[in-house]
Amino acid sequence: MIEARDILVDGLARPRLAGVHCEIAAGEFVAVLGPNGAGKSTLLRVLAGDLRPSSGSVTLDGIALHDWSYESLARRRAVLAPSVPGLSWPVKEIVALGRLPHPRNPAQDARVVAEALVVAGLERMAARVFAQLSAGEQARVQFARCLAQIEPRNDGLLLMDEPVAHADLRHQHALLAVARERARRGGGVLAVLHDPNQALHYADRVLVLREGRCVCSGPPHEVLCPDVLSDIYEVSVRRAFDSEGIGFFGVLPEAAARLSNIFREGGHTP
């Protein structure tokens, strides 16, 4: 589906990405993890075609990303980025924006938008004003817009930057479950996440970045372990299992770095 090789994105003090390789196959859910400033959002922008790398190549379906027309690319992939809260439009109209790259077909567009609203749990909010919603609700609206954008293809590519950052627990897992189901139907999904537990339970593969470089990549049960996570996030991470044998990660509060210590180590005044 999409492949990025040897991606370099220059930055002021250091490269934002350096020699990163990322591939998303049809039917695959890939999670990108890493601390703040690791290059996660930069990688997503490169894969979306919004940021052209300084060097390296990105191909979608074997065709260089920059050779795709805007309309064709918009029909092939959708991007869920941090929301813009100022739009005073009804929710239904925001979701309908996803249909703009497609040839006009009122009946199909109405059906796709209605289905996207239902899948995102927004059917009762269709007439509400987007700007008046909570941040979590706005993210769900944008998710529905992405679903509407890549329909009716089952092999659409969904790129999501921190899609559950503002959602409650129920909607975090509902959104990730829908994204995983899309992958199972033959689509491709890449999600920038902060919670390794979500990557462990929903992703087929995990890519871990630090300071613009890939630290490790592979199946979550192989890549995600306390040693790797403790090193990456500079906290003490432990793994536990519940009575059904389901594993999850946690941070020991007394072992986590105090914010004042982080500022001192960075040369700043707390």
Side-chain angles (χ1 to χ4, degrees), residues 188-262:
V189 176
L190 180 138
V192 172
L193 300 174
H194 281 297
D195 186 348
N197 291 301
Q198 294 171 345
L200 180 67
H201 295 299
Y202 289 99
D204 300 300
R205 190 159 48 85
V206 175
L207 179 70
V208 181
L209 298 179
R210 178 170 60 187
E211 296 184 347
R213 298 181 182 275
C214 178
V215 175
C216 52
S217 176
H221 64 278
E222 295 179 6
V223 170
L224 299 179
C225 64
D227 288 344
V228 169
L229 295 173
S230 296
D231 179 56
I232 290 297
Y233 293 107
E234 299 181 4
V235 293
S236 182
V237 177
R238 295 290 185 268
R239 177 163 50 195
F241 296 89
D242 66 12
S243 60
E244 298 179 353
I246 299 175
F248 57 93
F249 296 103
V251 176
L252 301 179
E254 64 273 13
R258 291 175 57 84
L259 191 59
S260 58
N261 293 335
I262 295 174

Side-chain angles (χ1 to χ4, degrees), residues 7-250:
I7 297 301
L8 171 66
V9 176
D10 288 324
L12 294 177
R14 58 176 175 80
R16 293 157 64 188
L17 291 174
V20 172
H21 172 73
C22 179
E23 181 178 1
I24 308 169
E28 188 176 39
F29 187 130
V30 177
V32 182
L33 298 176
N36 294 340
K40 304 183 296 297
S41 296
T42 299
L43 175 60
L44 185 142
R45 292 182 62 204
V46 169
L47 294 172
D50 295 333
L51 175 64
R52 194 157 180 173
S54 307
S55 64
S57 64
V58 185
T59 57
L60 176 60
D61 297 338
I63 303 171
L65 199 58
H66 62 264
D67 286 340
W68 283 73
S69 69
Y70 175 81
E71 292 80 8
S72 297
L73 184 60
R75 290 192 294 268
R76 190 72 178 84
R77 66 94 181 96
V79 182
L80 175 57
S83 181
V84 180
L87 295 174
S88 296
W89 295 357
V91 165
K92 186 175 181 178
E93 291 187 20
I94 298 293
V95 177
L97 291 175
R99 303 306 298 165
L100 290 179
H102 298 268
R104 181 168 172 75
N105 185 329
Q108 183 183 60
D109 292 344
R111 176 184 59 79
V112 169
V113 169
E115 289 177 354
L117 288 167
V118 171
V119 169
L122 298 167
E123 64 271 30
R124 296 183 179 179
M125 301 169 58
R128 291 185 59 184
V129 177
F130 179 78
Q132 297 176 358
L133 302 180
S134 70
E137 291 169 332
Q138 289 181 1
R140 286 163 53 202
V141 174
Q142 294 290 11
F143 179 63
R145 188 262 308 161
C146 288
L147 296 179
Q149 182 176 333
I150 52 181
E151 285 290 347
R153 300 182 61 147
N154 285 331
D155 61 349
L157 176 63
L158 182 59
L159 304 173
M160 305 189 295
D161 193 356
E162 300 185 31
V164 296
H166 300 288
D168 59 35
L169 281 175
R170 174 193 171 196
H171 289 107
Q172 286 179 25
H173 289 278
L175 187 151
L176 292 173
V178 170
R180 183 177 61 183
E181 176 59 25
R182 281 208 60 89
R184 298 295 180 266
R185 288 165 49 193
V189 176
L190 180 138
V192 172
L193 300 174
H194 281 297
D195 186 348
N197 291 301
Q198 294 171 345
L200 180 67
H201 295 299
Y202 289 99
D204 300 300
R205 190 159 48 85
V206 175
L207 179 70
V208 181
L209 298 179
R210 178 170 60 187
E211 296 184 347
R213 298 181 182 275
C214 178
V215 175
C216 52
S217 176
H221 64 278
E222 295 179 6
V223 170
L224 299 179
C225 64
D227 288 344
V228 169
L229 295 173
S230 296
D231 179 56
I232 290 297
Y233 293 107
E234 299 181 4
V235 293
S236 182
V237 177
R238 295 290 185 268
R239 177 163 50 195
F241 296 89
D242 66 12
S243 60
E244 298 179 353
I246 299 175
F248 57 93
F249 296 103

